[in-house]
Amino acid sequence: MAGLLRAALPLREQDRSWQMTGTAPSSAQRESRLLQAFVQMADTLVDDYDVVDVLQQLVEHCTELLDATAAGLMLSDQHGGLRVMAYSTEQTQLLELFQLQANEGPCLDCVRTGEPVLVADLSTETHRWPRFAPLAAAEGFVSVHAVPMRLRRDTIGALNLFGRETGLLDDQDLQVVRALADTATIGILQERALHRSEVLTEQLQTALNSRIVIEQAKGVLAFAGNIEMNQAFQALRTYGRNHSSRLVDIARQLVNGELPPDEILTRQSNNASEV
């Protein structure tokens, strides 16, 4: 399957024209971009893959391929709670965290029911989410779509898409969201883990612990370089990929003092200057 999808890779250079002109991509261009996304997801889901990076790719693909301004993702922990695992912007992270704090919102409803939560106009849902809906509107978001990360009967999280225009995703886009979410879910669970609850718990807890270390590392970099948190995260990802190292390993070295912040920040600065 991956070999067939790679046949579409040469089209990628042609597809960049829509980004330069600002015009909507053609059907062929959009299909090529979708193939690229699934190829990347499939190629990432190999032995000893980085769960946090996979989930970050997922939210980025959603904002790039679909009519969504921002995206966030929550996973269940071993105690039945939810944790924010990936987000496209810091603003989205805050909205996701607020849902947990207020115990209301589309992601929570989605995980609890195991069904998609599709809202074309958030202003009509103030009775449902009296605290979340006004806050999301204040941040400029007027529509939301939450899709469960589910395999068979197991719902392990939810993917949340925010929009700045009212309206629902069309059926095709909704199918794409579900397919991307299912791909990531299968990668996290894997078939053999479904029959061993202790393995599933360990996998999810490892992912949650990795996110904590990465957040700490972002803070170290942001403070050392006087940069924004999202810039710090991109610097971590770039450094890890350039050194063929997992994101969480780089973060742990940074937090433990084994890797100086200047090493990452200098490489990031050099890469930016070369571009």
Side-chain angles (χ1 to χ4, degrees), residues 241-256:
R241 289 174 178 176
N242 289 343
H243 291 76
S244 301
S245 299
R246 295 195 310 162
L247 186 62
V248 66
D249 292 335
I250 298 298
R252 189 171 289 111
Q253 292 176 32
L254 183 63
V255 171
N256 292 339

Side-chain angles (χ1 to χ4, degrees), residues 81 107 114 138 181 216 244:
C107 260
Q216 293 172 338
S244 301

Side-chain angles (χ1 to χ4, degrees), residues 19-255:
Q19 294 175 317
M20 299 177 64
T21 61
T23 58
S26 66
S27 296
Q29 289 172 331
R30 187 174 187 275
E31 289 178 5
S32 176
R33 290 164 56 208
L34 288 172
L35 289 175
Q36 291 288 334
F38 282 106
V39 166
Q40 186 178 9
M41 294 286 289
D43 284 347
T44 304
L45 295 172
V46 295
D47 291 340
D48 200 30
Y49 64 89
D50 191 327
V51 173
V52 174
D53 200 29
V54 169
L55 298 180
Q56 189 63 34
Q57 285 183 24
L58 175 59
V59 298
E60 290 175 356
H61 286 320
C62 287
T63 56
E64 292 168 1
L65 299 172
L66 306 170
D67 189 18
T69 305
L73 186 148
M74 294 185 188
L75 278 187
S76 300
D77 62 21
Q78 62 180 331
H79 304 295
L82 288 170
R83 301 284 186 87
V84 178
M85 289 298 297
Y87 42 87
S88 59
T89 65
E90 298 295 325
Q91 180 188 35
T92 314
Q93 180 196 24
L94 295 177
L95 282 175
E96 297 288 85
L97 290 172
F98 182 81
Q99 290 186 69
L100 297 178
Q101 182 182 24
N103 194 31
E104 66 174 52
C107 260
L108 273 66
D109 287 359
C110 184
V111 172
R112 289 164 179 164
T113 64
E115 298 295 331
V117 176
L118 311 177
V119 178
D121 188 350
L122 270 171
S123 65
T124 65
E125 301 296 328
T126 53
H127 63 288
R128 184 180 186 183
W129 305 313
R131 288 180 288 180
F132 171 78
L135 180 62
E139 295 295 334
F141 298 117
V142 296
S143 61
V144 65
H145 301 76
V147 176
M149 295 186 67
R150 182 181 61 196
L151 185 59
R152 298 176 183 172
R153 297 183 179 180
D154 293 291
T155 299
I156 63 169
L159 173 62
N160 213 19
L161 307 182
F162 296 93
R164 296 196 184 278
E165 296 183 1
T166 58
L168 296 175
L169 291 176
D170 60 36
D171 291 341
Q172 185 178 37
D173 280 354
L174 194 55
Q175 289 178 0
V176 170
V177 176
R178 286 174 168 169
L180 287 170
D182 288 346
T183 300
T185 303
I186 292 170
I188 295 171
L189 294 178
Q190 301 189 19
E191 282 295 326
R192 61 182 179 272
L194 293 176
H195 305 290
R196 298 172 56 192
S197 60
E198 68 276 14
V199 174
L200 172 58
T201 298
E202 181 181 350
Q203 287 180 331
L204 293 177
Q205 192 59 44
T206 297
L208 294 168
N209 292 340
S210 296
R211 184 78 241 186
I212 292 173
V213 174
I214 290 168
E215 289 296 320
Q216 293 172 338
K218 284 168 55 180
V220 172
L221 275 184
F223 178 79
N226 192 27
I227 57 178
E228 299 292 334
M229 293 289 278
N230 61 332
Q231 294 175 304
F233 185 58
Q234 291 303 323
L236 279 174
R237 293 180 74 190
T238 300
Y239 186 89
R241 289 174 178 176
N242 289 343
H243 291 76
S244 301
S245 299
R246 295 195 310 162
L247 186 62
V248 66
D249 292 335
I250 298 298
R252 189 171 289 111
Q253 292 176 32
L254 183 63
V255 171

